[in-house]
Amino acid sequence: MKSKTVNILLQKKSVAFLLVVIIGFSAQAQKNEALQIQSVFNKLVTAYGSPKSAPELVFMKSAPKPTIPTLKANKKVKIEVQLKRLCQTFGKDSLNALSVVISHELAHYYYEHDFCSDFAFAIRHKSVQFSSGLKLINKNQKVIYETQADDKGLFYAAIAGYDPFEIQPKILDAIYKFYQLKEVNEGYPSKTERKAIAQNALVKSQKLYTTFQDALIAKEKKEYDKAVALFETVNQDFPSRENYNNIGVIKTLKALDLKLSSLEENKFPNRFLYPLETDNKSRLERDNTRSTGNDNGTITTLLKSAQKDFEKSISLDPNYTKAYINLACVFDLLDNPEAAIGKIKELPLDKQVSIDAQRILAIAYYHADLEKKAEDIWKELKM
């Protein structure tokens, strides 16, 4: 009898221990899923590169019966953890699928689509205030919002390093099925209409992303005019700080190819490499001949145009450090080192001490006849 009692107690302890282990594994799994979602979210926010502060990512508790995958509300993007499990059904494309959904909601947020959230199906939201606000927007406006969110969402998911194009049509069907969404909802595009919107956006965004990639390739090949034309094509639909910055860099590199090296540049080539691209080193290694007056005029025109591009990039995101550094390079090349120094001083202190910021600062100090300050920086940089 005593032996039987002991066995029962041991069995109960084993079951209790097993339950603890299961609960522990479940909690850890949920934590890992949340971390993966947060990682995708952070990469997408960086890709959008908006001066608008990022929304807060909030995880909704999973209900016994799934209701909505995501929801954009005010300054928050709410995501149900089960969405990650749905995306995992796509195997190696799970993160690509997740990027499609989150990027779509971020597009609604960054482009200020009030009371609109496609994958969340906000029309099912229980909030009376939210629902009444939604009704104020007619169906045509919702179509416009969803089209833009699809366009921008896919493009920026690709910019963030994901491959959203093949998975996008599949994720929409999967969400309707998993969350048991009705195919027709009053005042909202039907599932058939919604898929047509998504397909049109897919074709458009994929084409523009290919154009973006071609522009980067042309830039690397030093096909500067082609690269600028391609980036400007992308800017017609997706004007961004990166695109304007890229255009400015290309024009500056083209100007550098025309500019003669000075005596100090020939003596200390590494010191006078502008922190735009390492490729500009080739300018210092070629056989220099006297430039013509036309070259000088072309150089100035290119640099003035690049200045506008960098200033536009900064206007889109006042915190975009690269554009400040590139603009400082242009000011120095335009024989205005004081303006170059001032532009670097506009950066936060932690950005001013970066290697690229210090490199252009040293060049500008030298050209502003502040050689001691320049030498101090070059010594610190071991140049």
Side-chain angles (χ1 to χ4, degrees):
M1 183 71 180
K2 183 177 180 181
S3 176
K4 185 176 180 181
T5 303
V6 170
N7 286 335
I8 292 173
L9 288 173
L10 288 173
Q11 288 175 3
K12 287 183 177 180
K13 286 183 179 180
S14 297
V15 171
F17 176 75
L18 183 61
L19 286 173
V20 170
V21 171
I22 291 173
I23 291 171
F25 275 125
S26 177
Q28 185 60 43
Q30 288 184 358
K31 183 179 179 180
N32 290 339
E33 288 169 353
L35 288 174
Q36 282 190 314
I37 293 172
Q38 185 72 61
S39 176
V40 173
F41 179 85
N42 291 343
K43 288 180 181 178
L44 289 167
V45 167
T46 300
Y48 273 87
S50 174
K52 185 177 179 181
S53 60
E56 179 186 357
L57 178 62
V58 177
F59 295 100
M60 296 183 288
K61 292 181 179 180
S62 296
K65 179 181 178 181
T67 54
I68 54 175
T70 60
L71 175 66
K72 181 194 78 67
N74 297 324
K75 296 182 179 180
K76 298 179 181 179
V77 170
K78 298 182 178 181
I79 295 179
E80 189 204 27
V81 176
Q82 286 194 64
L83 173 65
K84 179 64 174 61
R85 295 165 197 167
L86 168 61
C87 291
Q88 284 175 335
T89 63
F90 292 100
K92 63 182 179 61
D93 283 318
S94 62
L95 294 183
N96 294 328
L98 189 61
S99 76
V100 171
V101 181
I102 297 177
S103 189
H104 182 99
E105 297 303 328
L106 284 173
H108 279 313
Y109 171 77
Y110 283 120
Y111 290 90
E112 299 181 351
H113 297 166
D114 295 333
F115 301 108
C116 190
S117 188
D118 171 54
F119 288 117
F121 251 78
I123 49 178
R124 291 175 54 177
H125 197 268
K126 303 301 183 183
S127 168
V128 174
Q129 181 182 1
F130 194 93
S131 299
S132 61
L134 185 65
K135 291 177 182 177
L136 295 175
I137 303 174
N138 62 38
K139 182 177 176 180
N140 289 336
Q141 185 61 55
K142 292 168 192 169
V143 169
I144 292 172
Y145 281 165
E146 299 303 355
T147 299
Q148 190 177 38
D150 278 350
D151 284 349
K152 310 297 185 184
L154 286 170
F155 183 81
Y156 286 110
I159 292 294
Y162 298 102
D163 186 5
F165 300 114
E166 290 187 12
I167 201 68
Q168 186 240 29
K170 301 174 185 177
I171 189 67
L172 194 59
D173 277 329
I175 284 175
Y176 268 87
K177 181 178 180 180
F178 186 78
Y179 289 94
Q180 301 177 23
L181 302 175
K182 293 190 296 183
E183 295 196 7
V184 178
N185 293 275
E186 183 181 355
Y188 192 85
S190 66
K191 180 183 177 182
T192 301
E193 292 171 323
R194 188 63 196 84
K195 290 185 71 173
I197 292 170
Q199 179 59 31
N200 290 334
L202 176 63
V203 172
K204 178 182 176 181
S205 58
Q206 194 166 23
K207 181 179 178 181
L208 282 171
Y209 182 67
T210 299
T211 302
F212 176 80
Q213 293 292 93
D214 289 343
L216 292 175
I217 293 171
K219 182 177 115 176
E220 292 303 312
K221 290 182 177 180
K222 295 190 177 182
E223 297 172 350
Y224 294 138
D225 292 339
K226 178 181 178 181
V228 168
L230 290 171
F231 276 125
E232 287 178 342
T233 297
V234 175
N235 258 353
Q236 292 174 10
D237 287 279
F238 296 94
S240 69
R241 63 179 193 177
E242 285 88 356
N243 281 346
Y244 280 106
N245 182 69
N246 282 331
I247 292 170
V249 166
I250 292 166
K251 291 175 182 176
T252 308
L253 290 174
K254 187 175 180 180
L256 280 168
D257 277 352
L258 297 173
K259 185 179 180 298
L260 286 173
S261 303
S262 64
L263 290 175
E264 67 267 20
E265 288 173 337
N266 286 326
K267 187 176 180 181
F268 300 105
N270 290 331
R271 287 185 171 186
F272 291 91
L273 286 177
Y274 288 94
L276 290 154
E277 298 272 355
T278 54
D279 284 351
N280 70 68
K281 185 174 182 179
S282 63
R283 178 181 66 86
L284 304 178
E285 295 172 344
R286 65 181 168 83
D287 183 25
N288 285 299
T289 57
R290 298 306 301 171
S291 62
T292 66
N294 288 337
D295 279 348
N296 289 333
T298 301
I299 290 170
T300 300
T301 300
L302 285 167
L303 292 174
K304 288 285 188 182
S305 183
Q307 176 185 337
K308 292 180 180 178
D309 292 321
F310 293 135
E311 288 172 344
K312 179 64 177 177
S313 180
I314 291 171
S315 73
L316 291 175
D317 184 359
N319 299 314
Y320 191 39
T321 303
K322 284 185 181 180
Y324 282 86
I325 293 172
N326 292 337
L327 183 54
C329 293
V330 165
F331 281 141
D332 187 76
L333 286 165
L334 286 170
D335 296 324
N336 191 352
E338 292 79 13
I341 295 168
K343 189 53 61 178
I344 295 301
K345 295 299 183 182
E346 289 181 24
L347 291 170
L349 290 176
D350 63 318
K351 303 298 182 183
Q352 290 184 34
V353 297
S354 69
I355 292 176
D356 283 349
Q358 288 293 295
R359 282 174 60 191
I360 179 55
L361 193 59
I363 295 172
Y365 276 145
Y366 185 90
H367 290 153
D369 297 325
L370 298 169
E371 294 184 25
K372 176 63 168 61
K373 288 188 174 183
E375 286 291 345
D376 288 343
I377 294 175
W378 283 327
K379 184 178 180 180
E380 185 70 24
L381 295 177
K382 298 180 180 180
M383 300 177 73

Coordinates of all heavy atoms in Angstrom, one line a residue, residues 274 324-325 327-333 336-346 357 360-361 363-365:
Y274 N 37.1 62.2 -50.2 CA 35.8 62.6 -49.7 C 35.0 61.4 -49.3 O 35.0 60.4 -50.1 CB 35.1 63.5 -50.7 CG 35.7 64.8 -50.9 CD1 36.6 65.1 -51.9 CD2 35.3 65.9 -50.0 CE1 37.1 66.4 -52.0 CE2 35.9 67.1 -50.1 CZ 36.8 67.4 -51.1 OH 37.3 68.6 -51.3
Y324 N 23.9 64.8 -44.5 CA 24.7 65.9 -44.0 C 26.2 65.8 -44.3 O 26.8 66.8 -44.7 CB 24.6 65.9 -42.4 CG 23.3 66.4 -41.9 CD1 22.1 65.6 -41.8 CD2 23.1 67.8 -41.5 CE1 20.9 66.1 -41.3 CE2 21.9 68.3 -41.0 CZ 20.8 67.4 -40.9 OH 19.7 67.9 -40.4
I325 N 26.7 64.6 -44.2 CA 28.1 64.4 -44.5 C 28.4 64.7 -46.0 O 29.3 65.3 -46.4 CB 28.6 63.0 -44.1 CG1 28.5 62.9 -42.6 CG2 30.0 62.7 -44.7 CD1 28.8 61.5 -42.1
L327 N 26.6 66.5 -48.0 CA 26.4 67.9 -48.3 C 27.6 68.7 -47.9 O 28.0 69.6 -48.6 CB 25.1 68.4 -47.6 CG 24.8 69.9 -47.8 CD1 24.6 70.2 -49.3 CD2 23.4 70.2 -47.1
A328 N 28.2 68.3 -46.8 CA 29.5 69.0 -46.4 C 30.6 68.8 -47.4 O 31.3 69.7 -47.7 CB 29.9 68.4 -45.0
C329 N 30.6 67.6 -48.0 CA 31.6 67.3 -49.1 C 31.4 68.3 -50.2 O 32.3 68.8 -50.8 CB 31.5 65.9 -49.6 SG 32.0 64.7 -48.4
V330 N 30.1 68.5 -50.6 CA 29.8 69.3 -51.7 C 30.2 70.8 -51.4 O 30.7 71.5 -52.3 CB 28.3 69.2 -52.1 CG1 27.8 70.4 -53.0 CG2 28.0 67.9 -52.8
F331 N 29.9 71.2 -50.2 CA 30.2 72.6 -49.8 C 31.7 72.8 -50.0 O 32.2 73.8 -50.5 CB 29.7 72.9 -48.4 CG 28.3 73.3 -48.3 CD1 27.5 72.8 -47.2 CD2 27.7 74.0 -49.3 CE1 26.2 73.1 -47.1 CE2 26.3 74.4 -49.2 CZ 25.6 73.9 -48.1
D332 N 32.5 71.8 -49.5 CA 34.0 72.0 -49.6 C 34.4 72.0 -51.0 O 35.3 72.8 -51.4 CB 34.6 70.8 -48.8 CG 36.1 71.0 -48.7 OD1 36.6 71.9 -47.9 OD2 36.9 70.4 -49.5
L333 N 33.8 71.1 -51.9 CA 34.2 71.1 -53.3 C 33.8 72.4 -54.0 O 34.4 72.7 -55.0 CB 33.5 69.9 -53.9 CG 34.1 68.5 -53.6 CD1 33.2 67.4 -54.0 CD2 35.5 68.4 -54.3
N336 N 33.7 76.3 -50.3 CA 33.1 76.9 -49.1 C 33.3 76.0 -47.9 O 32.3 75.4 -47.4 CB 31.6 77.1 -49.4 CG 30.9 78.0 -48.4 OD1 31.5 78.3 -47.3 ND2 29.7 78.3 -48.6
P337 N 34.5 75.8 -47.5 CA 34.8 74.9 -46.4 C 34.1 75.3 -45.1 O 33.8 74.5 -44.2 CB 36.3 75.0 -46.2 CG 36.7 76.3 -46.8 CD 35.7 76.5 -47.9
E338 N 33.9 76.6 -44.9 CA 33.2 77.1 -43.7 C 31.8 76.5 -43.6 O 31.3 76.1 -42.5 CB 33.1 78.6 -43.6 CG 34.5 79.3 -43.4 CD 35.3 79.4 -44.7 OE1 34.7 79.1 -45.8 OE2 36.5 79.7 -44.6
A339 N 31.1 76.5 -44.7 CA 29.8 75.9 -44.8 C 29.8 74.4 -44.5 O 28.9 73.8 -43.9 CB 29.1 76.1 -46.1
A340 N 30.9 73.7 -45.0 CA 31.1 72.3 -44.8 C 31.3 72.0 -43.3 O 30.6 71.1 -42.7 CB 32.3 71.8 -45.5
I341 N 32.1 72.8 -42.6 CA 32.3 72.7 -41.2 C 31.0 72.9 -40.4 O 30.6 72.1 -39.5 CB 33.4 73.7 -40.7 CG1 34.7 73.4 -41.3 CG2 33.4 73.7 -39.2 CD1 35.7 74.5 -41.1
G342 N 30.2 73.9 -40.8 CA 29.0 74.2 -40.2 C 28.0 73.1 -40.3 O 27.2 72.8 -39.4
K343 N 27.9 72.5 -41.5 CA 27.0 71.3 -41.7 C 27.3 70.2 -40.8 O 26.4 69.5 -40.2 CB 27.0 70.9 -43.2 CG 25.9 69.9 -43.6 CD 24.5 70.4 -43.2 CE 24.2 71.7 -43.9 NZ 22.8 72.1 -43.5
I344 N 28.6 69.9 -40.6 CA 29.0 68.8 -39.7 C 28.6 69.1 -38.3 O 28.2 68.3 -37.5 CB 30.5 68.4 -39.8 CG1 30.8 67.9 -41.2 CG2 30.9 67.4 -38.8 CD1 30.0 66.6 -41.6
K345 N 28.8 70.4 -37.9 CA 28.5 70.8 -36.5 C 27.0 70.8 -36.3 O 26.5 70.8 -35.1 CB 29.0 72.3 -36.3 CG 30.5 72.4 -36.4 CD 31.2 71.5 -35.3 CE 32.7 71.7 -35.3 NZ 33.4 70.9 -34.3
E346 N 26.1 70.7 -37.3 CA 24.7 70.5 -37.1 C 24.3 69.1 -36.6 O 23.2 68.9 -36.1 CB 23.9 70.8 -38.4 CG 23.9 72.3 -38.8 CD 23.2 72.5 -40.1 OE1 22.3 71.7 -40.4 OE2 23.4 73.5 -40.8
A357 N 32.4 61.6 -40.8 CA 32.2 63.0 -40.4 C 33.6 63.7 -40.1 O 33.8 64.8 -40.5 CB 31.3 63.2 -39.2
I360 N 35.7 64.4 -43.5 CA 35.3 65.7 -44.2 C 35.6 66.9 -43.4 O 36.0 67.9 -43.9 CB 33.8 65.6 -44.7 CG1 33.5 66.9 -45.5 CG2 32.9 65.4 -43.6 CD1 34.4 67.3 -46.6
L361 N 35.5 66.8 -42.1 CA 35.8 67.9 -41.2 C 37.3 68.3 -41.3 O 37.6 69.5 -41.4 CB 35.4 67.5 -39.8 CG 35.4 68.7 -38.8 CD1 34.4 69.8 -39.2 CD2 35.0 68.2 -37.4
I363 N 39.3 67.7 -43.9 CA 39.5 68.3 -45.2 C 39.0 69.8 -45.2 O 39.7 70.7 -45.7 CB 38.8 67.5 -46.3 CG1 39.3 66.1 -46.4 CG2 38.8 68.2 -47.7 CD1 38.5 65.2 -47.3
A364 N 37.9 70.0 -44.7 CA 37.3 71.4 -44.6 C 38.2 72.3 -43.8 O 38.4 73.4 -44.1 CB 35.9 71.4 -44.1
Y365 N 38.7 71.8 -42.6 CA 39.6 72.6 -41.8 C 40.8 73.0 -42.6 O 41.3 74.1 -42.5 CB 40.0 71.8 -40.5 CG 39.0 71.8 -39.4 CD1 38.8 70.7 -38.6 CD2 38.3 73.0 -39.1 CE1 37.9 70.8 -37.5 CE2 37.4 73.1 -38.0 CZ 37.2 71.9 -37.2 OH 36.3 72.0 -36.2

